[in-house]
Amino acid sequence: MKRTLLTMVFTILLSGCGLETLTIDDYYKKNLENVSKIEVFDSSNSNSRTTTNKEEIMSFIKEIKDIKFIPDEDQSERDGFLYSITFYEDDKATLQFGLNQIGDDYYNTEPDIEPIVYEFFNSMSEQD
């Protein structure tokens, strides 16, 4: 009986909050090819840049779509972020995420998404 109870407790602990590793492609539930605008906000200097250049958009999506977002064991709320990325289809925001957050859930990325977003932000052709 003790062994069964211990096994059940261990299984519950291992399953945690039920988050699983995912990619932007998994999370986006729509067709990423329909993204028509990307906005990136850099909180370190409060700058925002936007692109509607389809080539830039698809190149960025290609680079990040298979990055693994691995649930962080620590899901406690945090303050601040470095970059916020928003995808749009026409003028409707369809996904907003950060380097380590999608929705209310926190993740680590493999490979690290930060240098990819940093490079994209600094190379974007249009600026707001």
Side-chain angles (χ1 to χ4, degrees):
M1 180 73 166
K2 270 186 169 181
R3 188 177 217 188
T4 304
L5 182 59
L6 185 59
T7 301
M8 286 174 48
V9 169
F10 187 67
T11 302
I12 290 169
L13 288 174
L14 282 179
S15 65
C17 53
L19 294 176
E20 58 187 51
T21 298
L22 51 85
T23 64
I24 292 297
D25 199 31
D26 295 331
Y27 194 83
Y28 195 69
K29 307 299 179 206
K30 297 180 182 206
N31 187 342
L32 285 166
E33 291 184 17
N34 292 333
V35 173
S36 58
K37 179 168 75 172
I38 296 178
E39 178 182 29
V40 181
F41 179 77
D42 179 350
S43 70
S44 68
N45 55 25
S46 297
N47 284 337
S48 178
R49 295 185 183 173
T50 302
T51 185
T52 56
N53 180 302
K54 195 63 172 178
E55 191 173 301
E56 284 181 335
I57 291 169
M58 294 316 297
S59 177
F60 178 67
I61 288 173
K62 183 179 178 184
E63 282 194 71
I64 68 161
K65 76 177 192 148
D66 294 321
I67 289 177
K68 292 181 179 139
F69 283 74
I70 303 161
D72 192 328
E73 289 181 21
D74 178 9
Q75 289 292 316
S76 59
E77 192 170 334
R78 299 159 198 181
D79 290 330
F81 61 91
L82 184 55
Y83 291 104
S84 173
I85 301 100
T86 307
F87 288 175
Y88 292 84
E89 289 187 19
D90 297 318
D91 288 326
K92 182 180 179 197
T94 54
L95 175 64
Q96 183 174 22
F97 62 99
L99 301 181
N100 66 346
Q101 183 178 9
I102 301 177
D104 294 328
D105 303 318
Y106 296 96
Y107 298 88
N108 296 304
T109 57
E110 182 60 42
D112 187 6
I113 195 171
E114 183 177 347
I116 297 167
V117 173
Y118 174 83
E119 184 178 318
F120 178 64
F121 181 81
N122 288 305
S123 69
M124 291 171 80
S125 62
E126 298 174 30
Q127 297 182 28
D128 281 345

